[in-house]
Amino acid sequence: MSEHITEIVVFTVLFLLVSGMGFVAARWRAPQDMAHLDEWGLGGRSFGGWITWFLVGGDLYTAYTFVAVPALIFGAGAAGFFAVPYTVVIYPMFFLILVRLWSVSHRHGFVTPADFVRTRYDSPTLALLVAITGIVATMPYIALQLVGIEAVLKTMGVTGDSPIARHLPIIIAFAILAAYTYQSGLRAPALIAFVKDTLIYIVIAVAVLYLPYKLGGWGAIFEAADKKFQASPAPGDGILLNANNQVQYFTLALGSALALFLYPHSITGVLAGKNRGVIKRNMSALPAYSLLLGLIALLGYMAIAAGVKPLPGAKAGSVDSNTVVPLLFDTNFPAWFTGVAFAAIGIGALVPAAIMSIAAANLFTRNIYKEYLRRDATPAQEAGVAKITSLVVKIGAVAFIVFLDPQFSIDLQLIGGVIILQTAPAVILGLYTRWLHRGALIAGWAVGMALAFWMLWQIPNAATGRKHFGGSAFPLSEFGFDTKKTIYVGFVVVLVNLVVAVLVTFLLRATKTPDGVDGTTPDDYFADEGDPRIERERTTTVDTVSST
């Protein structure tokens, strides 16, 4: 550890600096009363273009992205680049969808996607399923942010013998995160996101200019990568996709794009924007992060050219590929700059972890606690329950890392992407049409979930020796096709979900099964800041909270 003292000092100073910002955030744009879910969980729905850009960007492009995408490219080659096209196509796909969601949510005061589903379909059951799906999908995602921090700490030699000692720095970091999130709510990650993203942009800009110069140019980097993959005893893609992985590649990219803005934390960042214009500008500007992601991905090939050898993994004979990027910086940059890079990764874990825990807390509070446990809960009581729930969620995330194999946490996140896709028909299509029957959407969700878990059960993980739940690439041969090609599970099951929903809708409408009352109107989907109805409801809410 002694040779990493400078890195540890720089990392610690920057980490403590942003933690202090997290506590100060409670006074930033301070409302009259934080005892309201709109204030604690959505930052008062008042964030402008720049704040929302940093917040949503910091939420989507996480510390895990910083270490895992290059690590995947380091180990698998071209297949790892799926993250780049999916973060390119997602913004035109969701440009109009999120604007409509913002409008109807601000008109009715929705805090979660399940709130919208509850009112749109007049179905507490469907809303509950959407809420539970969101919470379950988010939990391993939070845990994965710890994987990024753990890779940095391992590279700096901050480890221990027992599981608790080895993870003590992470436990302390998340305790600090829990404290300032409890106090400041969404304002904390919004403020910290400025520092996090600025550090990452600086670090990547320096890396993509300096490392190719040091390693002999881009030609030498790609040549070294190609040589490695060609020499592999079990060659995969190399620097180009092979025929067997092309279907998996495009279905994974498209499915991941559909899933990303269905995650509760993504929607939380969007709903915090103050008007429709903010959402439109951000959907236009966020692809700048995709350019950054493309440069981050190339770090995997740079690590190959630099001769980086990953540190040993938890199991004998295994390696921890997530240490590739930290080791690349550790061996090629001065200690002080490496410390800055490590801090960028560490801080990059705090922003999304905070938003994810807040989003999960919002779902529990609005769609489980208020709907089923205490219907007459006041805004102050809702905010109090959300704060406690966010703490419980963070404790659960730490438990994932301490007691489970980190590789299993990664596989769980892949499963999370599959299951969150099952909310797409209710949420995405519900923003445009009420034709699908609420009972049919429940049936589609159930069939999609059952098929998803059956398919995921069939997938082994050769690296860990686990026979089930080893990823999301399903062999088409299981469907009777004579091929070695695979396909993304989420892409298949969401199509099945939709087909079932359509067929059951025909059946239920033919039998004249009651379908509830739509609580929204067409003009709700075009409401904007300054809408008289919204302003009246905000005034009433503030008066209610103040009197409470």
Side-chain angles (χ1 to χ4, degrees):
M1 187 189 297
S2 59
E3 66 270 24
H4 297 288
I5 290 297
T6 301
E7 298 168 4
I8 294 172
V9 170
V10 173
F11 176 88
T12 303
V13 169
L14 289 173
F15 194 90
L16 292 176
L17 173 64
V18 299
S19 298
M21 291 175 62
F23 288 105
V24 171
R27 299 190 180 94
W28 177 53
R29 294 170 168 259
Q32 293 180 349
D33 195 336
M34 279 284 282
H36 194 287
L37 215 52
D38 269 10
E39 295 295 344
W40 183 85
L42 289 180
R45 302 182 189 260
S46 62
F47 293 159
W50 279 106
I51 298 173
T52 303
W53 189 73
F54 279 105
L55 178 66
V56 176
D59 185 18
L60 302 183
Y61 301 87
T62 67
Y64 178 66
T65 304
F66 200 115
V67 299
V69 172
L72 181 58
I73 289 171
F74 178 89
F81 278 101
F82 84 93
V84 179
Y86 102 67
T87 57
V88 172
V89 302
I90 186 173
Y91 300 112
M93 285 172 56
F94 276 85
F95 184 94
L96 296 178
I97 293 171
L98 293 177
V99 171
R100 291 176 70 88
L101 179 60
W102 182 93
S103 290
V104 71
S105 298
H106 275 242
R107 172 66 67 86
H108 290 271
F110 299 151
V111 176
T112 70
D115 283 348
F116 163 70
V117 169
R118 171 71 172 87
T119 301
R120 178 66 153 162
Y121 295 99
D122 193 18
S123 175
T125 302
L126 183 57
L128 177 64
L129 294 176
V130 171
I132 292 175
T133 303
I135 293 170
V136 172
T138 301
M139 284 295 295
Y141 215 153
I142 302 173
L144 280 189
Q145 307 316 309
L146 298 176
V147 172
I149 298 180
E150 189 172 50
V152 166
L153 294 174
K154 184 184 290 188
T155 303
M156 292 191 297
V158 183
T159 58
D161 296 327
S162 68
I164 298 298
R166 186 167 63 251
H167 295 104
L168 184 60
I170 292 178
I171 294 172
I172 294 173
F174 254 54
I176 296 172
L177 169 67
Y180 66 66
T181 304
Y182 184 93
Q183 174 178 316
S184 305
L186 194 66
R187 286 173 171 80
L191 187 59
I192 293 173
F194 282 94
V195 178
K196 173 253 186 186
D197 291 346
T198 300
L199 285 178
I200 288 181
Y201 269 103
I202 292 173
V203 167
I204 296 303
V206 171
V208 299
L209 291 174
Y210 174 71
L211 286 176
Y213 167 77
K214 182 177 181 180
L215 298 173
W218 287 107
I221 290 172
F222 281 100
E223 183 179 343
D226 188 51
K227 183 177 179 181
K228 174 200 170 182
F229 292 119
Q230 293 301 324
S232 172
D237 287 318
I239 61 174
L240 295 175
L241 282 172
N242 65 43
N244 289 333
N245 284 342
Q246 290 174 2
V247 173
Q248 166 69 14
Y249 184 88
F250 87 78
T251 55
L252 177 58
L254 183 57
S256 299
L258 285 171
L260 190 57
F261 273 108
L262 288 170
Y263 276 105
H265 59 277
S266 303
I267 293 176
T268 295
V270 169
L271 296 186
K274 68 178 181 179
N275 57 43
R276 287 166 62 93
V278 166
I279 310 306
K280 291 178 181 178
R281 289 193 296 273
N282 270 270
M283 289 300 104
S284 301
L286 278 168
Y289 277 97
S290 301
L291 172 62
L292 179 68
L293 179 59
L295 298 176
I296 290 174
L298 290 172
L299 294 176
Y301 287 159
M302 294 182 204
I304 294 174
V308 170
K309 303 294 182 184
L311 293 176
K315 293 185 178 180
S318 66
V319 295
D320 185 357
S321 61
N322 289 318
T323 59
V324 165
V325 170
L327 285 170
L328 177 66
F329 281 93
D330 187 48
T331 55
N332 288 278
F333 287 98
W336 68 267
F337 186 79
T338 301
V340 173
F342 289 174
I345 297 174
I347 297 167
L350 299 183
V351 173
I355 303 171
M356 291 170 190
S357 65
I358 290 170
N362 289 345
L363 281 168
F364 174 83
T365 302
R366 289 296 290 261
N367 308 115
I368 298 177
Y369 172 76
K370 186 176 176 66
E371 181 73 43
Y372 292 98
L373 302 178
R374 189 160 188 175
R375 288 181 175 272
D376 61 346
T378 65
Q381 288 169 336
E382 285 184 26
V385 170
K387 290 180 178 181
I388 297 298
T389 305
S390 73
L391 296 179
V392 174
V393 168
K394 293 184 186 73
I395 293 171
V398 172
F400 265 86
I401 293 299
V402 173
F403 299 109
L404 292 179
D405 180 357
Q407 179 59 48
F408 190 46
S409 295
I410 295 171
D411 292 338
L412 283 177
Q413 193 276 326
L414 293 173
I415 294 171
V418 172
I419 67 172
I420 198 65
L421 272 171
Q422 304 317 301
T423 65
V427 177
I428 296 178
L429 296 183
L431 288 166
Y432 287 91
T433 178
R434 181 61 168 75
W435 182 79
L436 290 172
H437 195 285
R438 59 184 180 179
L441 287 167
I442 293 172
W445 179 92
V447 172
M449 283 293 186
L451 178 60
F453 280 100
W454 176 81
M455 293 176 71
L456 292 166
W457 176 262
Q458 308 298 319
I459 301 173
N461 188 317
T464 62
R466 196 168 56 251
K467 296 181 179 180
H468 308 290
F469 296 114
S472 59
F474 188 80
L476 286 173
S477 58
E478 293 287 335
F479 287 140
F481 294 98
D482 185 18
T483 179
K484 295 182 179 180
K485 294 180 180 179
T486 58
I487 191 169
Y488 177 51
V489 172
F491 185 81
V492 175
V493 296
V494 76
L495 290 180
V496 172
N497 180 338
L498 183 57
V499 170
V500 171
V502 170
L503 294 177
V504 176
T505 293
F506 279 118
L507 176 63
L508 294 178
R509 296 210 181 283
T511 57
K512 293 182 170 50
T513 304
D515 194 19
V517 178
D518 184 0
T520 69
T521 60
D523 67 305
D524 289 346
Y525 298 90
F526 300 94
D528 203 351
E529 183 185 27
D531 182 284
R533 179 172 166 182
I534 295 175
E535 296 306 318
R536 283 198 303 273
E537 290 176 355
R538 281 181 177 170
T539 302
T540 303
T541 299
V542 171
D543 291 342
T544 302
V545 174
S546 300
S547 62
T548 302

